[in-house]
Amino acid sequence: MDWTQLVSISLFFIFLIVFLLKMNSSWNNNSQNLPPRPRILPFLGNLLIMDMKRPHRTMLQLSKVYGSVFRIQLGFQKIVVLAGYKTVKEALVNHADAFAERPNIQLSDEIHEGILFSHGENWKVMRRFTISALRDYGMGKRIIEDKITEECRVLIKTFESYEGQPFENTAIMNSAVGNIIVSIVLGKRYQYEDPTFQRLIKLVNENVQLAGSPPVLFYNMFPLFGFLFGARNILLNNKKELFGFIKTTFIEHLKALDENDQRSFIDSFLVRQAEKNKAEGYFHNENLTAVVNNLFAAGMDTTSTTLRWAILLMMKYPDIQNKVSEEISRIIGSAQPKIEHRAKMPYTDAVIHEVQRFADIVPANVARATTVDITFKGFFIPQGTHIVPLLTSVLHDESQWEKPYEFYPEHFLDSEGKFVKRDAFMPFSAGRRICLGETLAKMELFLFFTSLLQRFTFQTPPGISKEDLDLTPAIGFTAPPMPYKLCALPRS
C-alpha cells in the first residue's frame, strides 16, 4: 500500500468520525424537545430493527409505541415520521407551507430537476406550468375522456383476443394507461406491441420498483459506499436511456414546432422556453427531460397498478364483482361508460375508492422536508428535516375505518347505499405536493374499470381458487400486486 492510499484511507476515516460526531450532536440533543425515538446504534442508527423490504410496516409498528410523531435514524438519514390521519392532515394541510419541501436524499438529488424531487422556486414554476399545460391538453375535460374511451376499446379487444384463456395483464394495463399520458406529452399513441413503447414502459416501471428496493435504500443511507450497490447503477443507466429517448423526441418536436399549432405538452414547453428562458431560467432542456420523465412515471405506474389490484380483488371477491356488474348493467346498459355515469353509480364508485385505500400503493408517501423550524404537536422539528408522512397509517387508521385491513366497499357508503366521501381517503397525498394528476387518474380509473366490468367476468385460471390468490404486495417504491393470471370471460 503506497502513501497516497494511506492518506486517502486516513482522510476517509477522519471524515467519517467528524460526520458521526456531528450527526450525533444536535439530532440527539433532547433539550430542544425533539420527537421521541427508539434507541440508536452508532453508524447504523435504527437499521437493525427495520424491515428494509417494507420499511413502512416497521414505521407503523413504531408509531404504536412512540406516538404519531417520532424520529428514526437509518444510517446517516435522520427522519421524522408522521402517523395517523389527524397528524398527517395537520402537517400537510394545516401547515402546508412548512412541510412543502423535499429532503436531500442521495439518489433523488442525482435526478434533481423537474417536479417530483425538485426544490424551491424551480419546483413551484415547473408545477404551475405543468398543471396549466395538462389542463390545456384535456385533463379533467371531454377531450381526454374521449382518448381514454378510445383506449378502452383497444384494451377490450386485447382482452378478447385471449378467448377466455389465462393471461398476465401487467404489460397490457401498463400499455393502455401509458398511452393516455403519452398522448398528452408526445401527442401520439403507440400500438401495444411497439418495441419502443414497451422499452419505455420497462424502463419506467423498473426504476419505480428499484427506487424502493433495499439496495437503493441502503445507498441513500450510506452514499459513500455507492460502488457497492449495483441497483443504483441500473437505475441511473435506465434514467440515462430514458432521458435519451425524451431528448430525441423533443428534438424531433423542435423541427416541426409551430407556436400557433401546439400539439403536445412538449410543444408547449418548447414554446415557453423560446419566450421566457432568458427571463425565468427554468425552461431549459434538463427540466423538460425531467418533467416528462416524472409524468411518465406518475402517469403510467400508479394508475395501472391500481387497475391491476382492482381486477385481482374482483376475482378474490366475486360477490362484489357481481354487484358492480349489476349496477353497470342497470345504469349504463350496453352504452359506452362516461364520467357523467359516476354520480349515478355509488356502489361502483365505492369499490374503486376502496381499491385505492386497500391497495395502498404508495405506503410511505413521497418524502417531505420542513421549510422552516417548526414546533409541531409539541415537538421541535428543525428546518430541512426529512419527513415521512406515512400514508399507510392514514389509509389503515383504526379510528377512521371500520375494517381497516379488509376490503370493504361499505367504507364509502351510507346506510342508504349512497356514496360518501371520507376525509381520511388520501391516496394522492395532500397539501402543496399533492399528486398533480389526481383528476386524470380518477377519470382513468372509473372509465377503464367500468368498461372492463361491463364486458367481462374475471375469474381465476382453472385449478386456482379465489382463496389461492395472493394479496401480498410486491416490493418497490410503489406496491403493485404480485404477478397473477386471470381469465376474462365475455359477459352474456
Side-chain angles (χ1 to χ4, degrees):
M1 182 180 295
D2 60 30
W3 69 273
T4 57
Q5 290 174 310
L6 287 171
V7 169
S8 298
I9 293 172
S10 299
L11 288 173
F12 170 78
F13 279 106
I14 290 171
F15 171 81
L16 186 60
I17 291 168
V18 171
F19 187 92
L20 288 171
L21 288 173
K22 183 179 179 182
M23 180 181 68
N24 289 323
S25 57
S26 62
W27 182 246
N28 296 328
N29 183 1
N30 286 315
S31 65
Q32 294 178 307
N33 196 31
L34 296 170
R37 59 163 171 78
R39 185 176 181 180
I40 63 170
L41 296 174
F43 190 70
L44 296 177
N46 300 119
L47 190 58
L48 296 184
I49 67 172
M50 299 298 294
D51 176 355
M52 292 311 298
K53 291 183 177 180
R54 296 179 177 88
H56 61 277
R57 292 186 176 179
T58 306
M59 294 178 194
L60 191 60
Q61 290 302 313
L62 289 173
S63 72
K64 300 181 187 305
V65 178
Y66 295 97
S68 65
V69 183
F70 64 94
R71 290 179 289 159
I72 57 172
Q73 187 168 307
L74 303 178
F76 299 153
Q77 283 185 309
K78 298 173 289 185
I79 298 168
V80 168
V81 180
L82 308 179
Y85 163 65
K86 291 180 180 179
T87 297
V88 172
K89 180 192 175 185
E90 184 176 344
L92 301 190
V93 178
N94 300 354
H95 298 280
D97 291 333
F99 290 91
E101 254 294 0
R102 292 290 188 219
N104 292 311
I105 300 173
Q106 183 64 32
L107 195 59
S108 60
D109 283 350
E110 295 176 33
I111 315 173
H112 62 281
E113 304 289 356
I115 303 173
L116 191 58
F117 298 115
S118 63
H119 306 281
E121 195 64 22
N122 184 85
W123 163 68
K124 293 177 183 177
V125 172
M126 287 297 100
R127 184 179 174 90
R128 275 196 307 267
F129 168 78
T130 300
I131 291 173
S132 175
L134 289 176
R135 287 172 179 162
D136 288 343
Y137 290 101
M139 187 173 74
K141 299 179 182 177
R142 182 60 183 268
I143 183 174
I144 201 67
E145 179 176 353
D146 290 342
K147 289 181 179 179
I148 299 170
T149 296
E150 182 55 39
E151 201 62 45
C152 287
R153 295 190 184 102
V154 178
L155 181 63
I156 287 167
K157 288 182 180 179
T158 304
F159 274 39
E160 287 175 341
S161 70
Y162 289 92
E163 299 180 338
Q165 296 302 306
F167 67 97
E168 209 278 326
N169 67 346
T170 302
I172 300 168
M173 297 307 302
N174 285 339
S175 299
V177 173
N179 259 330
I180 305 305
I181 196 65
V182 165
S183 71
I184 294 172
V185 174
L186 305 184
K188 63 179 292 184
R189 74 172 298 279
Y190 286 96
Q191 298 297 320
Y192 291 179
E193 63 274 11
D194 185 290
T196 299
F197 190 35
Q198 288 305 314
R199 180 61 181 168
L200 175 68
I201 290 172
K202 182 180 185 299
L203 292 172
V204 169
N205 288 341
E206 188 171 48
N207 273 8
V208 169
Q209 296 313 305
L210 283 174
S213 66
V216 167
L217 296 179
F218 279 116
Y219 170 63
N220 286 331
M221 295 176 214
F222 305 106
L224 292 173
F225 303 105
F227 62 93
L228 297 174
F229 304 111
R232 174 251 187 190
N233 295 329
I234 295 172
L235 195 150
L236 291 179
N237 286 336
N238 286 352
K239 171 210 160 188
K240 183 177 179 181
E241 183 179 344
L242 185 59
F243 278 28
F245 167 83
I246 296 168
K247 287 177 181 178
T248 301
T249 300
F250 69 68
I251 288 171
E252 290 299 316
H253 277 246
L254 267 174
K255 294 178 182 178
L257 184 63
D258 181 353
E259 63 178 82
N260 296 315
D261 183 24
Q262 298 172 36
R263 303 152 297 168
S264 67
F265 177 90
I266 289 180
D267 280 2
S268 295
F269 192 103
L270 293 172
V271 168
R272 187 71 173 271
Q273 183 182 69
E275 292 174 350
K276 295 194 174 184
N277 189 43
K278 292 182 180 178
E280 291 185 329
Y282 297 106
F283 289 85
H284 48 73
N285 289 348
E286 289 73 19
N287 251 342
L288 172 56
T289 307
V291 170
V292 170
N293 179 54
N294 292 165
L295 291 174
F296 280 162
M300 287 185 190
D301 183 83
T302 53
T303 303
S304 61
T305 292
T306 304
L307 287 167
R308 287 168 52 217
W309 272 112
I311 293 174
L312 177 62
L313 289 164
M314 292 304 95
M315 293 193 296
K316 185 78 171 179
Y317 302 104
D319 290 346
I320 294 175
Q321 180 177 185
N322 290 337
K323 289 181 182 179
V324 172
S325 298
E326 185 279 326
E327 187 174 66
I328 291 172
S329 297
R330 179 164 43 85
I331 302 300
I332 304 177
S334 59
Q336 177 65 45
K338 298 181 182 298
I339 285 298
E340 63 192 45
H341 290 127
R342 180 164 52 191
K344 303 174 184 177
M345 302 173 66
Y347 190 79
T348 301
D349 205 8
V351 168
I352 293 171
H353 279 71
E354 181 66 356
V355 168
Q356 291 179 270
R357 187 201 68 82
F358 181 85
D360 187 20
I361 66 170
V362 191
N365 209 331
V366 184
R368 304 287 185 95
T370 46
T371 60
V372 293
D373 291 349
I374 183 173
T375 298
F376 179 73
K377 306 287 279 190
F379 299 111
F380 175 74
I381 303 176
Q383 178 181 353
T385 298
H386 182 154
I387 304 291
V388 173
L390 197 62
L391 271 191
T392 192
S393 72
V394 177
L395 297 176
H396 296 96
D397 190 325
E398 294 178 5
S399 71
Q400 300 295 315
W401 307 101
E402 183 181 348
K403 300 180 180 181
Y405 293 98
E406 295 181 27
F407 184 67
Y408 187 64
E410 286 74 11
H411 282 139
F412 297 93
L413 296 169
D414 64 16
S415 58
E416 297 177 354
K418 296 178 180 178
F419 180 82
V420 290
K421 293 182 178 180
R422 300 292 297 269
D423 291 339
F425 180 71
M426 246 186 233
F428 299 101
S429 193
R432 296 284 184 264
R433 296 266 184 170
I434 192 171
C435 174
L436 56 78
E438 178 180 357
T439 302
L440 176 61
K442 288 179 176 178
M443 184 179 285
E444 289 178 300
L445 290 173
F446 180 79
L447 292 175
F448 278 119
F449 183 70
T450 54
S451 295
L452 289 172
L453 269 292
Q454 181 187 51
R455 296 298 190 94
F456 302 106
T457 297
F458 294 109
Q459 294 182 0
T460 56
I464 298 176
S465 69
K466 63 180 183 179
E467 288 75 19
D468 295 329
L469 293 175
D470 186 3
L471 298 184
T472 304
I475 296 168
F477 181 76
T478 58
M482 297 290 189
Y484 64 88
K485 289 189 175 182
L486 65 134
C487 294
L489 305 178
R491 295 189 63 81
S492 55

